[in-house]
């Protein structure tokens, strides 16, 4: 056993001993432990998230007046109580509604009738009604959002606990952007071995809630989120004051999780999908719009060797909308299932731990799987959720994509193999259908992984490490079909990507662009090693399509790893109108004949502008 693991287990045992005595004594009153955070805003609403020390309630006091120098109760308005629940690690959400458009609000969390934590503020989106004029009949308005990815806090793998990117975001942009999109890898794996029993004693409860009984390793992911919120005050400040949405990439689940939809695949990382997603729902996913409101299902079932039937007496499968869910995973079952360490990439998991397709519901407690079980026994399993959705702001559509949950297993020896999918059929058809039906001239597609540049270096965790690939360049058949379909649409399509620890602006076609944004805090990748030796700028081709790299961050291969620290963030400004009042200080919005989208990349160390690209609607 490694010394770090020995130290970790010793600390956990000490924690258990201490918390055992605490649990037997009277607990402190319920209090705020993490948050608040803000979710997807509209012109009249915003959700507010918080975590409390025990299951209970919190309210949000809010108003348009800032609290005084010594604070204030902000009691102009008080929200309905939000419930925090132990099965979700005492997290909860309440939505503030009936707000005034384009207005700054100030707020604070109250627990047990007392103010808790720091106060925050946010601005609601403008709306069409208050933006409309004779020169702007559609009621368009301008807005800004910030987007980025990859915020590793481990000093061995990045800048560390202190983040210059978030310092500049807070100082320069928190009161200027309307919302933020964190495009994957907000989280990197730490504390993943935290024992469920230590978590139980810390919560002061008599027994584990059912989801933790089925997925005990979820407690390590919860602890991982709490660690990231607790030790990076700049990051916590940002989410307290800027409404955010989040996609998950591999690190929210576990690094290099591949083939989650590949029936018959066996790998401990692959079958951690739903455990990681469950915790993501609790800490980040609540902030998003979802196309399907059905969340993932977890259960305990029986399998028999040679039989393709899974039996769960506690679940009525007739009541689950399986046609709206992903496939079924039998969990790995080890304490280290969610740890990012190749030492645990063995075959020590449950003999029946595979990815399964559900062929039919046999009766209310039984489903038929696509292949028979390998051994007799009781298993923990889950059925995944569709984690994608869309929203609209003014004349812009936003599609938050899931590039991990329904992903086939790639094969770099046949990158253009027909039918291999990153999105899955349901998500792909939904995306194309919704885009074709929309009248929005601008579409932002939020994909956690790059589209035109490979991510084939920086290690790999399959038996064949040469098969490493994270990007759309491992799914060329699907990628090319989508680009052709987008290029035929009468709109500008912007693929906003992450995962690679570099930023770049790429023109793919006349109508399709890629903007990779990051890293916020992680060590940069080396293009010569990890990105198929692409140039800093210029023409580049990987696969059947050439593209033009207009600008990129770029790191030379001779830099030591911990000298490769060049964070970037991106602010996107949508210019639909200009103000031309009859008298100075008034408001009369005039629509541009050709609205512009301005992509602005900033240096995370200095906050200075590094590059900008402006794209407007084509001239007729």
């Amino acid at each position: 056993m490694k010394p770090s693991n020995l130290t970790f287990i010793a600390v956990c045992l000490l924690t258990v001993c201490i918390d055992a005595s605490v649990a037997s004594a009277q607990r402190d009153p319920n209090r705020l432990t993490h948050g608040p955070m803000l979710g997807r805003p509209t012109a009249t609403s915003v959700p507010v998230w918080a975590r409390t020390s025990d299951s209970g309630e919190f309210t949000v006091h809010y108003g348009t007046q800032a609290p005084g120098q010594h604070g204030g109760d902000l009691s102009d308005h008080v929200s309905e109580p939000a419930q925090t629940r132990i099965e979700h690690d005492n997290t909860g959400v309440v939505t503030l509604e009936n707000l005034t458009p384009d207005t700054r609000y100030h707020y604070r969390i109250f627990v047990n009738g007392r103010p808790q934590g720091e106060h925050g503020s946010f601005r609601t989106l403008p709306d069409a009604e208050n933006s409309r004029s004779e020169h702007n009949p559609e009621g368009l308005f301008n807005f800004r959002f910030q987007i980025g990815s990859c915020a590793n806090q481990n000093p061995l793998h990045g800048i560390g606990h202190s983040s210059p990117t978030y310092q500049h975001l807070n100082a320069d942009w928190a009161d200027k952007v309307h919302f933020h999109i964190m495009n994957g890898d907000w989280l990197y794996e730490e504390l993943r071995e935290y024992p469920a029993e230590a978590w139980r004693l810390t919560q002061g409860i008599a027994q584990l809630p059912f989801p933790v009984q089925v997925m005990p390793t979820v407690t390590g992911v919860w602890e991982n989120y709490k660690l990231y919120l607790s030790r990076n005050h700049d990051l916590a400040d940002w989410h307290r004051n800027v409404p955010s949405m989040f996609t998950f990439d591999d690190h929210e689940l576990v690094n290099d999780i591949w083939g989650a939809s590949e029936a018959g695949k066996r790998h401990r990382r692959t079958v951690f999908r739903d455990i990681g997603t469950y915790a993501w729902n609790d800490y980040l996913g609540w902030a998003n719009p979802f196309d399907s409101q059905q969340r993932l299902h977890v259960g305990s079932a029986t399998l028999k060797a040679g039989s393709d039937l899974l039996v769960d007496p506690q679940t009525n499968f007739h009541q689950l909308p399986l046609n709206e869910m992903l496939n079924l995973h039998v969990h790995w079952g080890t304490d280290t299932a969610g740890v990012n360490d190749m030492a645990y990439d063995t075959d020590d998991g449950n003999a029946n731990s595979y990815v399964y397709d559900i062929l039919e519901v046999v009766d209310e407690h039984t489903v038929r799987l696509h292949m028979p079980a390998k051994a007799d026994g009781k298993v923990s399993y889950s059925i995944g959720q569709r984690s994608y959705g869309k929203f609209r702001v003014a004349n812009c559509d936003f599609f938050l994509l899931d590039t991990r949950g329904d992903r086939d297993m790639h094969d770099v020896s046949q990158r253009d193999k027909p039918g291999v999918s990153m999105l899955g059929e349901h998500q792909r058809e939904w995306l194309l259908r919704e885009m074709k039906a929309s009248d929005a001239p601008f579409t932002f597609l939020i994909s956690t992984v790059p589209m035109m540049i490979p991510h084939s270096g920086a290690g790999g965790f399959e038996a064949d490490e040469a098969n490493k690939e994270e990007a759309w360049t491992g799914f060329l058949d699907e990628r090319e079909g989508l680009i052709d379909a987008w290029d035929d649409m009468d709109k500008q399509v912007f693929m906003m990507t992450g995962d690679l620890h570099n930023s770049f602006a790429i023109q793919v076609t006349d109508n399709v662009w890629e903007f990779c944004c990051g890293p916020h805090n992680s060590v940069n990748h080396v293009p010569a090693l990890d990105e198929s030796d692409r140039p800093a700028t210029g023409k580049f081709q990987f696969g059947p399509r050439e593209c033009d790299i207009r600008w990129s961050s770029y790191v030379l291969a001779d830099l030591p790893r911990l000298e490769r620290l060049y964070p970037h963030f991106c602010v996107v400004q949508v210019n639909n109108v200009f103000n031309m009042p009859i008298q100075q200080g008034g408001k009369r919005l005039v629509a541009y004949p050709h609205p512009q989208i301005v992509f602005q990349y900033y240096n995370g160390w200095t906050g200075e502008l590094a590059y900008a690209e402006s794209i407007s609607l084509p001239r007729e």
Side-chain angles (χ1 to χ4, degrees):
M1 184 177 292
K2 296 181 294 185
S4 60
N5 287 342
L6 285 170
T7 301
F8 175 82
I9 291 173
V11 170
C12 287
L13 289 173
L14 178 60
T15 301
V16 169
C17 292
I18 294 172
D19 286 338
S21 62
V22 172
S24 63
Q26 184 177 359
R27 289 176 65 80
D28 289 338
N30 198 16
R31 68 189 188 282
L32 178 73
T33 65
H34 298 83
M37 292 196 290
L38 301 167
R40 180 208 163 197
T42 71
T44 59
S45 67
V46 68
V48 181
W49 173 97
R51 183 187 183 273
T52 56
S53 57
D54 295 284
S55 296
E57 294 183 348
F58 69 84
T59 57
V60 180
H61 290 220
Y62 61 101
T64 56
Q65 297 298 315
Q69 182 178 1
H70 300 292
D73 62 6
L74 293 171
S75 293
D76 292 354
H77 303 280
V78 180
S79 73
E80 293 294 320
Q83 298 291 326
T84 64
R85 304 183 187 280
I86 189 64
E87 61 268 27
H88 298 295
D89 200 27
N90 294 331
T91 63
V93 181
V94 64
T95 299
L96 309 185
E97 299 179 309
N98 300 316
L99 305 178
T100 302
D102 199 19
T103 299
R104 180 157 295 280
Y105 283 87
H106 302 266
Y107 74 99
R108 198 170 188 186
I109 298 290
F110 275 58
V111 182
N112 291 326
R114 299 175 62 86
Q116 299 271 306
E118 300 179 64
H119 79 273
S121 72
F122 61 89
R123 180 161 51 135
T124 52
L125 292 177
D127 70 342
E129 186 60 33
N130 292 295
S131 303
R132 192 172 284 116
S133 75
E134 69 273 25
H135 300 288
N136 182 30
E138 295 183 27
L140 297 178
F141 50 83
N142 299 336
F143 66 95
R144 292 190 187 98
F145 67 94
Q146 191 273 326
I147 185 167
S149 62
C150 305
N152 200 336
Q153 293 186 25
N154 189 328
L156 297 178
H157 302 288
I159 294 169
H161 306 165
S162 176
S163 174
T165 291
Y166 283 100
Q167 292 169 11
H168 286 293
L169 286 173
N170 286 319
D172 300 335
W173 294 103
D175 60 349
K176 295 177 183 176
V177 299
H178 290 86
F179 59 91
H180 160 64
I181 298 175
M182 184 62 188
N183 195 15
D185 294 342
W186 184 95
L187 193 73
Y188 283 70
E189 304 88 339
E190 296 185 60
L191 302 185
R192 291 296 183 95
E193 295 175 82
Y194 192 86
E197 180 63 8
W199 176 86
R200 181 189 70 80
L201 291 167
T202 300
Q203 309 313 309
I205 56 177
Q207 65 179 19
L208 297 174
F210 179 73
V212 182
Q213 294 176 32
V214 175
M215 306 180 297
T217 49
V218 75
T219 60
V221 191
W222 284 336
E223 295 300 315
N224 196 171
Y225 278 107
K226 285 180 280 194
L227 175 68
Y228 266 47
L229 281 170
S230 296
R231 73 182 178 192
N232 192 327
H233 194 264
D234 294 311
L235 178 144
D237 279 351
W238 176 253
H239 291 306
R240 191 176 69 253
N241 293 297
V242 179
S244 299
M245 284 154 283
F246 306 86
T247 54
F248 61 74
D249 197 42
D250 55 342
H251 290 288
E252 281 84 5
L253 310 181
V254 64
N255 187 32
D256 286 357
I257 181 172
W258 298 334
S261 185
E262 189 75 25
K265 182 169 174 57
R266 175 175 172 83
H267 198 280
R268 75 165 179 100
R269 295 172 187 264
T270 301
V271 296
F272 201 76
R273 175 193 68 187
D274 298 336
I275 300 173
T277 303
Y278 188 96
W280 175 80
N281 285 338
D282 295 334
Y283 276 85
L284 301 180
W286 58 270
N288 290 7
F290 286 102
D291 183 61
S292 171
Q293 297 307 307
Q294 177 63 42
R295 301 294 69 156
L296 62 87
H297 169 77
V298 299
S300 180
T302 300
L303 292 171
K304 292 186 177 181
S307 171
D308 58 5
L309 300 180
L310 179 143
V311 181
D312 179 358
Q314 305 304 315
T315 295
N316 186 340
F317 289 106
H318 287 306
Q319 295 179 351
L320 286 178
L322 296 176
N323 62 328
E324 298 178 16
M325 303 178 74
L326 303 182
N327 51 15
L328 183 147
H329 287 185
V330 169
H331 301 159
W332 199 245
T334 65
D335 294 339
T336 55
V339 178
N340 183 23
D341 189 329
M342 285 187 291
Y344 302 124
D345 287 325
T346 64
D347 197 39
D348 293 342
N350 187 290
N352 290 316
S353 182
Y354 288 87
V355 177
Y356 296 88
D357 284 341
I358 299 174
L359 299 185
E360 64 171 328
V361 176
V362 177
D363 60 45
E364 63 180 12
H365 299 307
T366 307
V367 292
R368 188 180 307 279
L369 306 177
H370 84 283
M371 70 178 196
K374 304 294 184 183
D376 292 347
K378 197 170 185 179
V379 298
S380 295
Y381 75 95
S382 54
I383 303 173
Q385 68 184 44
R386 296 183 185 168
S387 301
Y388 53 84
K390 67 170 187 171
F391 64 99
R392 182 159 177 164
V393 181
N395 55 349
C396 300
D397 278 340
F398 291 80
F399 291 86
L400 300 170
L401 303 180
D402 173 9
T403 65
R404 296 288 178 175
D406 206 12
R407 178 176 179 151
D408 293 335
M409 186 61 204
H410 63 269
D411 182 356
V412 298
S413 69
Q414 193 177 0
R415 293 175 178 267
D416 59 352
K417 183 178 180 180
V420 177
S421 177
M422 179 180 289
L423 298 180
E425 180 181 1
H426 289 283
Q427 183 177 192
R428 183 179 62 249
E429 295 307 311
W430 164 82
L431 174 63
L432 291 174
R433 181 176 65 251
E434 295 293 330
M435 289 180 67
K436 289 176 182 176
S438 174
D439 63 353
F442 298 112
T443 299
F444 292 90
L445 304 176
I446 316 301
S447 161
T448 60
V449 294
M451 183 171 65
M452 302 306 296
I453 293 177
H455 182 184
S456 53
F461 295 98
E462 294 290 334
D464 179 8
E465 292 190 19
N467 198 34
K468 164 81 175 185
E469 182 58 271
E470 304 296 320
W472 285 89
T473 46
F475 302 82
L476 291 176
D477 177 62
E478 183 174 55
R479 186 195 77 171
E480 292 303 301
L482 287 171
I483 292 174
D484 287 341
W486 300 335
D487 202 34
D488 289 340
M489 296 180 185
D490 186 22
K491 57 188 69 188
Q492 293 289 298
V493 178
F494 309 119
M495 189 72 135
M496 311 298 294
T497 62
D499 190 54
L500 270 179
H501 299 174
N502 277 306
S503 288
F504 43 81
I506 296 178
Q507 184 168 17
V508 183
T509 73
D510 289 342
N511 297 325
V512 180
W513 295 71
E514 178 182 4
F515 294 94
C516 191
C517 307
H520 272 179
N521 216 51
S522 303
V523 167
N524 291 74
H525 287 132
V526 177
L529 304 176
D530 306 326
E531 303 171 18
S532 293
D533 201 22
R534 54 93 177 172
T537 59
K539 301 293 185 179
F540 178 72
Q541 184 169 347
F542 192 95
R545 189 183 299 267
E546 185 179 69
C547 63
D548 181 5
I549 303 175
R550 312 268 290 193
W551 169 87
S552 73
S553 61
Y554 195 90
V555 176
L556 295 175
D558 60 353
L559 269 66
R561 176 176 172 79
L562 290 183
E563 293 297 324
R564 305 199 310 257
L565 301 176
Y566 293 89
H568 283 81
F569 62 91
C570 183
V571 175
V572 182
Q573 182 165 319
V574 179
N575 291 331
N576 283 314
V577 297
F578 59 93
N579 192 25
M580 186 58 60
I582 294 175
Q583 292 185 330
Q584 288 288 338
K587 178 181 177 180
R588 185 177 60 164
L589 300 183
V590 181
Y592 282 112
H594 302 91
Q596 317 105 39
I597 313 292
V598 185
F599 299 84
Q600 302 164 89
Y601 286 93
Y602 292 87
N603 183 308
W605 284 111
T606 66
E608 294 183 355
L609 181 68
Y611 180 78
E613 183 87 41
S614 178
I615 301 166
S616 61
L617 291 181
R619 274 58 172 168
E620 296 180 356

